[in-house]
């Protein structure tokens, strides 16, 4: 079994990154309080090409939607399943060429040192957050709950932290080919990827995390990060 390949097309990228930045920098204001550095959660849409000969299985992300009804805090984002079902029904009815191919959510960190200390770009798991909790429990659960017809789902984490001063570093790969880190002005962003797959358990269909990390391809992103930093430097 080859690792899942995930290609994110350029026009899906602004939604992913700006929703993570909005939750981080703007947050949410209610009459009583303002909270920032929140998580966000959304769905990835597109299509899938199956494994064939030398070609690995691939999902191609063409669109992303954000769950504005998700219960979000600094350390969690819990989507409303009713909202996810509504979107699947609505989108596939009017855009029959799209299907859910995965999820994304963000990890906000107060500082670069905090993000580095906890390797905050990695998926949370029972080892890091407690029994039966974390991304690696939630993703297969969601896969099983709503997406059993999908052989694979890709899951992206957009980790965000503010920098003290404008960063200027070339984008670099992290966690093999499954993610990368970027400096975007006074922000550092990590995009990492994971995959879950449908499997047949003895007592029926279910889902599990795939052992191998995906190969993540966001062809436009590195080039945009470099151009954006040039643009800022010449302002
Ligand atoms: Zn997470």
């Amino acid at each position: 079994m080859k690792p899942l390949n995930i290609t994110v097309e350029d026009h899906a990228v602004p939604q992913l990154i700006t929703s993570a930045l909005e939750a981080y920098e703007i947050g949410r204001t209610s009459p009583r309080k303002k909270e920032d550095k929140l998580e966000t959660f959304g769905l990835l849409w597109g299509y899938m090409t199956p494994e064939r000969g030398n070609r690995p299985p691939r999902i191609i992300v063409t669109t992303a939607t954000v769950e504005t009804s998700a219960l979000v805090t600094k350390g969690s984002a819990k989507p409303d399943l009713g909202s996810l079902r509504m979107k699947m029904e609505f989108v596939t009815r009017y855009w029959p060429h799209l299907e859910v191919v995965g999820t994304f959510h963000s990890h906000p960190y107060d500082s670069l040192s905090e993000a580095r200390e906890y390797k905050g770009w990695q998926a949370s798991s029972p080892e890091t957050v407690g029994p039966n909790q974390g991304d690696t429990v939630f993703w297969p659960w969601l896969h099983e709950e709503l997406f059993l017809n999908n052989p694979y789902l890709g899951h992206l984490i957009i980790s965000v932290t503010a920098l003290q001063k404008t960063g200027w570093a070339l984008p670099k790969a992290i966690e093999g080919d499954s993610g990368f880190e970027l400096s975007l002005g006074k922000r550092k962003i990590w995009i990492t990827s994971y995959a879950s797959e449908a499997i047949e358990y003895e007592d029926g269909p279910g889902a599990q995390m795939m052992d191998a990390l995906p190969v993540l391809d966001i062809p436009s992103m590195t080039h945009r990060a470099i151009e954006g930093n040039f643009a800022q430097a010449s302002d």
Side-chain angles (χ1 to χ4, degrees):
M1 174 75 214
K2 298 188 174 70
L4 180 67
N5 280 233
I6 302 173
T7 298
V8 184
E9 289 192 348
D10 192 29
H11 40 269
V13 177
Q15 179 66 281
L16 296 178
I17 298 194
T18 59
S19 60
L21 291 182
E22 181 182 359
Y24 185 89
E25 294 176 13
I26 312 296
R28 134 185 92 197
T29 308
S30 66
R32 293 202 177 158
K33 58 178 174 178
K34 174 172 166 46
E35 298 168 277
D36 60 9
K37 301 194 175 70
L38 298 173
E39 289 200 12
T40 187
F41 183 95
L43 293 175
L44 304 174
W45 302 82
Y47 57 98
M48 200 197 106
T49 56
E51 181 169 359
R52 228 181 256 134
N54 285 331
R55 284 162 56 118
R58 180 180 299 273
I59 60 175
I60 297 95
V61 179
T62 60
T63 305
T65 53
V66 181
E67 289 304 299
T68 55
S69 61
L71 283 179
V72 295
T73 68
K74 245 190 116 157
S76 68
K78 192 165 168 260
D80 184 295
L81 292 193
S83 168
L84 299 180
R85 285 198 189 93
M86 176 275 285
K87 280 179 198 164
M88 285 161 67
E89 194 190 309
F90 182 79
V91 172
T92 50
R93 180 167 173 187
Y94 295 102
W95 290 271
H97 57 293
L98 294 179
E99 63 173 2
V100 172
V101 292
T103 69
F104 75 96
H105 72 282
S106 64
H107 284 179
Y109 287 95
D110 282 326
S111 67
L112 186 57
S113 53
E114 188 194 25
R116 288 210 167 119
E117 182 181 345
Y118 298 108
K119 289 202 169 184
W121 48 85
Q122 293 183 340
S124 59
S125 66
E127 293 77 56
T128 58
V129 287
N132 232 348
Q133 292 178 55
D135 296 328
T136 59
V137 173
F138 176 74
W139 288 324
W141 174 81
L142 188 71
H143 194 149
E144 200 168 311
E145 200 70 22
L146 291 183
F147 306 108
L148 266 188
N149 289 332
N150 296 48
Y152 315 103
L153 289 178
H155 306 283
L156 300 183
I157 301 175
I158 324 281
S159 304
V160 183
T161 195
L163 299 173
Q164 296 305 317
K165 53 183 183 200
T166 300
W168 206 148
L170 285 173
K172 85 174 177 224
I174 50 169
E175 311 284 336
D177 291 323
S178 68
F180 49 92
E181 67 172 80
L182 303 160
S183 300
L184 302 174
K186 285 195 167 177
R187 305 155 181 122
K188 172 80 87 179
I189 289 186
W190 297 260
I191 305 179
T192 43
S193 66
Y194 295 83
S196 59
E197 63 184 337
I199 52 159
E200 203 54 50
Y201 287 111
E202 266 177 23
D203 58 352
Q208 67 182 8
M209 291 303 293
M210 289 175 78
D211 288 335
L213 290 174
V215 176
L216 178 63
D217 180 32
I218 311 184
S220 64
M221 199 58 229
T222 21
H223 146 89
R224 291 196 184 283
I226 294 168
E227 280 200 339
N229 280 324
F230 267 123
Q232 194 161 48
S234 62
D235 278 348

